[in-house]
Amino acid sequence: MTTGQYDEGPEVEDRPDELDLTPSPRLLEVLGDIPYQPWQCLAELVDNSFDEFQSDPDRDPAEPPTIHITLPKATSAPEDAQVSVFDNGRGMSKSTLENALRAGFSGNSRYGSLGLFGMGFNIATARLGNKTTVRTTRAGDMFWLAVEIDLRSLQHRESFHVPLRREAKDDPGLHGTMITVSELKSNMLEALKRPKTVTTVHQQLGRVYSYLLRDRSPVPELPDDGTLAGLGISLYINGKRVRPHIPCVWSASRSVKRHGTEISAVREIDRKLTDAYACMECGYWHHHFDVAKCVECGSDRLELRHRKMHGWLGVQRYLDESDYGIDFLRHGRKILSSDKSLFTWVDLDSGETLTEYPIEIPNNQGRLVGEIHIDHVPVNYQKTDFDRSSRDWHETVRYLRGEGPMRPKKAKERGFQENDSPLAILFKAFQENDPGLRCLIPGNGSSATHKLAHDWGNQFHRGLPEYQPDDKWYQAVLAHEEAKNRETTGEDQSPPQTGDDDLSGRTGLDPLPPAEPPADGEEPQPPVSREPDPPAETEDERYARYRQHGRRLHDLDGQIIVLGMGKRHVSVYETTVPVTDASGDPMPAVARVTSGVDLEVYVYGDHEIFREFGRDPRDYAIMEIAQVLRALARDTDTKFTVIAAEVTRQFPDQRTTSSALRDRAESCLRRIRDLAGPVIAPVAAEMWARLSNESKLQAESEAARVDPRLDWLAATQDGRFSSYLSYEAVASLLRSAPAAFMDDKVFAAAWASWTAAEARDRQVGYVARLLETIGGFLSDHSFKSRRELAMTRLAIDTLDDIVIRMGK
């Protein structure tokens, strides 16, 4: 736990060989009752090591900065169990060591380091055990300085004076500091011996020190501004390296377009703040330059410090219920991890709160993330939060998320200008979770493949090289767009068929026509030689051709484990060319095993069983997977249908449940309402008059439920009532005023270009019936059969294609 205060020159001996750690020998026992978790205790011990490495600009690059943590083994006896931390920093002098160990004092200044006085070190060691030994030495010293803090002995003697020992060392060039905690508390010892605790410590320290543990080269996905690269410090626990938790974000080169503007998936934050004087005693910041003493504690130890807010905000490649939010760091250590407080707007005058993200389907999962460095903002003594009452924290929040709500409608309703803060810009571009290029969400042509994207994220965090770039996610986004376009245009991408059913060409030579006899007087002509056909297509070439003419079904892609038949990675392709088995017989689907464990399935999407009988190609892919797994496992006892059912359960994106369909239907309705708002606003009174009394009452009831503060009378006059319309209400407005909604205003279906009244009515009726069908599903909570749910899914899929896609 080297403090970084390095004394040049010889040691000055001005008092006996003991250290005075006054004020009270009972203090550490009390501090040991503070509820620190094991990883927090270890973090406190390594904080000062990180401080040391950051404060040493002249460190020899040939000796990488390294910290080793050693924890008790599962078989360790209580009397032998120890926790130790060693760093290869510069080491400490006697005076620096004394100041570092004294409770309430540190050689580090409060705002110049991770260490928060000596409090954190003393809490951690007292929490872990009864005896702490600190050994430290500098390069060139002939000895180690060693001091032992025995809490029970100190209390018995009622003295805080502890002896200082000098221990010879073999290598004068050795330098660094080692902390050893022994006589461990029984509850802490039992916790540290559990494998689950060690795993948690690895994960937590990998997150908390992610920035400091990264390599010096910048993370490829993040802006290369020279500040986002790590320090390259190595941290080991029982010999195993702690891997930094690197965010799985889209590359800064990826973007979406909103209102004609390209918005990158990563926004760099680099805001220089005004300099201020910091008190080196209590840490209070003074924003006025005419101060001579600290207004908080009266100290005259004031230093002018530069202040800066920097980092980035970005978009994760997958959705998660908890793994999203903004990390706030102080001197490279995460104080807040995945903080979500900036996603809620708070009115400081009225106390009103408005949760703004996430609310899109799935409405309990998010993907907005970030890392913000705010070294100047004070933290609590446990380093679990910043002082949220401080002026500096409020300035941070105000800059990042703005004064008013991030949603334009909500901001306008509350009298704020449109929010153009860094977070609001990213929020408005990526708040939705629709599949495709518009939102950078992987899909399968009909719906988003959230689980698959999340599975890939797990592989990213495991460190698998092929999952580090965002190419796999982006290809799934493009595949969704291609599949959608193919379904919309109805184009057949398959090559033309020759209709030739003979087997010529399979032998390598076409049959030659019979030779005709020469005419009288003519010389016989030699037969015309024929070039042999190319060799027959190999198996690898055949499957490569299937892939070339196919699209990947990403919702049937990933790891599966079925009935103890082993783990397999499955990839499914729907091709536009016929597929055959090894003997050349046509099949609806074929599969092959690659690399011993992976499984590829190819389905011919235009097979008659799908084209004429309405079967789903995905069902046949699942049957093919089940058949191959059964054969590989040599399992003749388990029924094929049981295996197929287990395979199906491995792909939750295929669910067609009532709740899942309701979520999709409500998400689609929100899009329609947002698109209808600008259409209705200019003629609000007319549109309100067109609604039936029942639709008006339903809209008013929905508004009262969602926003009780809304002035409903004003909302019916300025068009805000559109945000609360039901599917049936939208359908009735569409029927009465189709020109306002059709032709890419809300719905993509054409209307104005048709001149015949019958054709126009057919277009309107088609869209209105979809709206009414889905509205009836939402309002009817009775049990739905499998066929009813399937029909509803088709209606939602169809409507989703008709609703235009544009920025809010």
Side-chain angles (χ1 to χ4, degrees):
M1 47 74 64
T2 314
T3 67
Q5 182 171 334
Y6 180 51
D7 296 340
E8 298 288 349
E11 192 72 48
V12 177
E13 300 294 335
D14 56 358
R15 57 183 179 270
D17 279 347
E18 62 179 24
L19 301 184
D20 178 10
L21 304 184
T22 308
S24 167
R26 298 184 183 275
L27 177 59
L28 288 186
E29 184 183 37
V30 176
L31 294 179
D33 293 331
I34 296 175
Y36 268 35
Q37 298 180 38
W39 75 265
Q40 288 178 288
C41 294
L42 296 170
E44 291 293 348
L45 300 187
V46 301
D47 264 356
N48 287 317
S49 297
F50 283 111
D51 281 342
E52 157 66 9
F53 294 136
Q54 293 188 77
S55 65
D56 184 8
D58 301 323
R59 184 177 181 85
D60 184 358
E63 189 178 8
T66 305
I67 305 169
H68 285 275
I69 299 175
T70 304
L71 302 179
K73 297 180 179 179
T75 57
S76 297
E79 61 273 14
D80 299 325
Q82 295 180 339
V83 172
S84 69
V85 175
F86 172 76
D87 70 55
N88 62 348
R90 289 171 291 185
M92 290 180 283
S93 67
K94 176 183 172 183
S95 60
T96 304
L97 175 61
E98 182 176 20
N99 289 340
L101 296 179
R102 190 194 305 268
F105 184 84
S106 172
N108 291 329
S109 301
R110 181 174 182 179
Y111 286 93
S113 62
L114 288 173
L116 181 59
F117 292 12
M119 188 71 72
F121 168 79
N122 289 322
I123 294 173
T125 53
R127 180 75 173 157
L128 286 169
N130 291 305
K131 184 182 293 185
T132 300
T133 303
V134 181
R135 291 180 176 85
T136 186
T137 187
R138 300 172 298 177
D141 289 345
M142 302 306 294
F143 50 81
W144 290 83
L145 292 176
V147 61
E148 184 178 278
I149 304 172
D150 188 328
L151 293 182
R152 287 171 296 191
S153 174
L154 291 176
Q155 289 183 63
H156 178 72
R157 294 187 289 108
E158 295 188 355
S159 170
F160 226 104
H161 289 71
V162 294
L164 176 68
R165 302 193 309 269
R166 286 175 171 79
E167 300 174 354
K169 67 178 184 182
D170 298 330
D171 181 3
L174 188 65
H175 54 89
T177 301
M178 173 177 284
I179 304 167
T180 303
V181 183
S182 56
E183 297 183 9
L184 301 181
K185 303 288 181 66
S186 58
N187 58 337
M188 192 62 70
L189 174 59
E190 291 304 314
L192 291 173
K193 290 167 67 172
R194 290 194 291 266
K196 184 177 181 180
T197 302
V198 178
T199 300
T200 300
V201 170
H202 266 274
Q203 293 172 345
Q204 289 293 339
L205 296 186
R207 281 183 175 272
V208 168
Y209 297 109
S210 170
Y211 174 77
L212 299 171
L213 296 176
R214 295 174 198 165
D215 292 336
R216 291 182 178 273
S217 58
V219 178
E221 289 75 16
L222 305 180
D224 182 7
D225 67 346
T227 65
L228 297 177
L231 294 181
I233 299 173
S234 299
L235 175 63
Y236 294 86
I237 300 178
N238 288 349
K240 182 178 180 182
R241 188 164 187 171
V242 176
R243 296 180 62 250
H245 181 87
I246 297 176
C248 179
V249 295
W250 286 101
S251 167
S253 64
R254 309 296 187 194
S255 63
V256 300
K257 183 172 285 188
R258 291 291 183 272
H259 303 294
T261 302
E262 291 288 340
I263 300 176
S264 170
V266 175
R267 295 189 66 82
E268 184 178 348
I269 303 297
D270 189 8
R271 180 177 174 81
K272 188 180 184 306
L273 307 173
T274 57
D275 296 343
Y277 281 96
C279 175
M280 296 298 99
E281 293 291 342
C282 71
Y284 185 80
W285 282 99
H286 301 77
H287 297 274
H288 301 287
F289 285 83
D290 58 350
V291 60
K293 291 187 176 182
C294 176
V295 299
E296 192 77 5
C297 71
S299 170
D300 59 359
R301 293 187 62 223
L302 303 179
E303 288 187 12
L304 185 64
R305 293 295 181 97
H306 297 299
R307 302 189 310 143
K308 179 181 178 181
M309 181 194 313
H310 65 98
W312 56 271
L313 299 172
V315 182
Q316 200 163 241
R317 302 177 203 167
Y318 58 87
L319 293 166
D320 193 90
E321 292 183 0
S322 59
D323 187 16
Y324 69 96
I326 303 172
D327 298 335
F328 289 94
L329 296 82
R330 176 177 174 272
H331 296 287
R333 169 175 170 165
K334 288 181 186 176
I335 303 299
L336 291 174
S337 184
S338 300
D339 183 72
K340 301 170 180 61
S341 62
L342 267 63
F343 299 143
T344 298
W345 176 73
V346 180
D347 188 336
L348 299 179
D349 296 327
S350 66
E352 176 192 7
T353 60
L354 179 66
T355 299
E356 302 191 87
Y357 181 83
I359 63 172
E360 292 294 321
I361 300 300
N363 57 17
N364 61 339
Q365 297 186 24
R367 57 177 179 147
L368 297 184
V369 294
E371 286 185 346
I372 305 297
H373 297 253
I374 45 175
D375 299 344
H376 61 287
V377 182
V379 299
N380 63 18
Y381 75 91
Q382 287 184 297
K383 301 177 193 169
T384 57
D385 203 349
F386 290 90
D387 180 0
R388 300 197 184 218
S389 64
S390 68
R391 169 182 173 177
D392 296 308
W393 174 259
H394 286 298
E395 287 181 348
T396 299
V397 173
R398 189 180 303 113
Y399 172 74
L400 290 176
R401 68 142 292 135
E403 294 276 5
M406 294 187 292
R407 292 182 174 274
K409 284 186 177 180
K410 300 298 183 184
K412 184 177 180 181
E413 290 169 3
R414 288 156 177 80
F416 289 93
Q417 298 293 324
E418 183 165 350
N419 194 330
D420 60 355
S421 67
L423 183 60
I425 292 173
L426 199 70
F427 162 80
K428 285 181 279 190
F430 294 96
Q431 60 174 305
E432 296 178 337
N433 301 320
D434 296 333
L437 285 168
R438 180 177 176 272
C439 300
L440 282 184
I441 292 286
N444 58 22
S446 60
S447 61
T449 52
H450 295 307
K451 181 182 182 298
L452 176 64
H454 195 285
D455 289 343
W456 289 347
N458 290 336
Q459 304 298 341
F460 170 93
H461 290 303
R462 287 178 55 199
L464 273 64
E466 62 269 31
Y467 292 90
Q468 299 310 301
D470 63 7
D471 297 346
K472 188 177 290 288
W473 286 263
Y474 194 66
Q475 290 303 317
V477 171
L478 295 179
H480 172 85
E481 296 289 348
E482 293 171 1
K484 251 188 118 170
N485 291 337
R486 187 182 299 118
E487 293 172 4
T488 302
T489 61
E491 294 179 358
D492 184 3
Q493 304 295 324
S494 59
Q497 302 295 312
T498 62
D500 188 0
D501 292 331
D502 65 33
L503 299 179
S504 62
R506 291 200 175 186
T507 61
L509 291 174
D510 286 341
L512 299 177
E516 296 183 2
D520 292 341
E522 291 184 358
E523 292 292 330
Q525 298 294 320
V528 178
S529 63
R530 300 286 299 273
E531 290 292 333
D533 281 351
E537 186 179 49
T538 67
E539 180 178 331
D540 287 341
E541 291 170 340
R542 177 162 58 94
Y543 286 112
R545 178 166 54 86
Y546 295 160
R547 285 193 297 274
Q548 180 183 358
H549 294 281
R551 67 183 180 102
R552 197 162 180 169
L553 302 182
H554 289 287
D555 53 335
L556 292 181
D557 195 347
Q559 297 279 356
I560 64 171
I561 304 176
V562 178
L563 298 175
M565 295 180 177
K567 181 186 294 185
R568 305 277 172 176
H569 185 90
V570 174
S571 303
V572 179
Y573 299 84
E574 182 180 351
T575 77
T576 57
V577 296
V579 299
T580 64
D581 62 10
S583 62
D585 294 331
M587 295 285 176
V590 294
R592 72 166 181 169
V593 178
T594 64
S595 304
V597 294
D598 293 342
L599 180 61
E600 293 178 354
V601 180
Y602 299 88
V603 186
Y604 176 37
D606 200 40
H607 193 279
E608 63 176 355
I609 203 69
F610 310 130
R611 186 182 66 251
E612 299 178 11
F613 291 85
R615 296 296 184 257
D616 191 333
R618 288 171 171 81
D619 291 337
Y620 274 68
I622 288 173
M623 287 192 287
E624 192 71 20
I625 294 170
Q627 177 64 26
V628 172
L629 292 178
R630 191 168 188 247
L632 291 173
R634 304 181 185 275
D635 186 345
T636 58
D637 297 327
T638 307
K639 289 186 176 181
F640 172 79
T641 53
V642 172
I643 301 174
E646 285 298 316
V647 172
T648 303
R649 291 190 185 97
Q650 300 285 305
F651 302 106
D653 285 330
Q654 294 296 304
R655 290 176 298 183
T656 306
T657 63
S658 183
S659 61
L661 292 178
R662 287 182 183 279
D663 287 344
R664 287 195 60 201
E666 289 169 356
S667 177
C668 188
L669 180 57
R670 282 200 299 274
R671 285 176 51 209
I672 293 172
R673 288 168 171 171
D674 287 340
L675 292 165
V679 171
I680 292 175
V683 288
E686 177 187 346
M687 289 292 184
W688 179 252
R690 291 176 183 269
L691 292 173
S692 67
N693 287 334
E694 181 181 0
S695 292
K696 291 178 179 178
L697 290 173
Q698 286 180 345
E700 184 175 359
S701 176
E702 175 71 2
R705 183 185 68 83
V706 174
D707 190 356
R709 293 163 49 91
L710 180 65
D711 184 342
W712 182 243
L713 179 59
T716 62
Q717 296 170 348
D718 60 21
R720 284 177 290 161
F721 68 84
S722 61
S723 296
Y724 311 99
L725 294 176
S726 65
Y727 269 107
E728 292 84 352
V730 175
S732 69
L733 291 179
L734 172 66
R735 290 184 186 275
S736 63
F741 296 89
M742 306 286 278
D743 296 305
D744 290 332
K745 296 181 180 69
V746 176
F747 304 103
W751 182 81
S753 60
W754 297 96
T755 56
E758 181 181 357
R760 286 186 167 188
D761 290 345
R762 186 186 307 115
Q763 292 290 89
V764 173
Y766 174 64
V767 179
R769 284 191 296 274
L770 287 172
L771 292 167
E772 290 160 351
T773 298
I774 300 171
F777 168 76
L778 283 179
S779 59
D780 181 7
H781 291 269
S782 63
F783 173 78
K784 303 293 189 301
S785 68
R786 175 173 57 85
R787 287 188 176 87
E788 289 175 309
L789 293 175
M791 291 173 62
T792 302
R793 177 183 178 181
L794 287 174
I796 295 174
D797 288 344
T798 306
L799 182 63
D800 188 62
D801 286 338
I802 295 174
V803 177
I804 67 170
R805 297 179 179 274
M806 60 186 300
K808 289 184 178 180

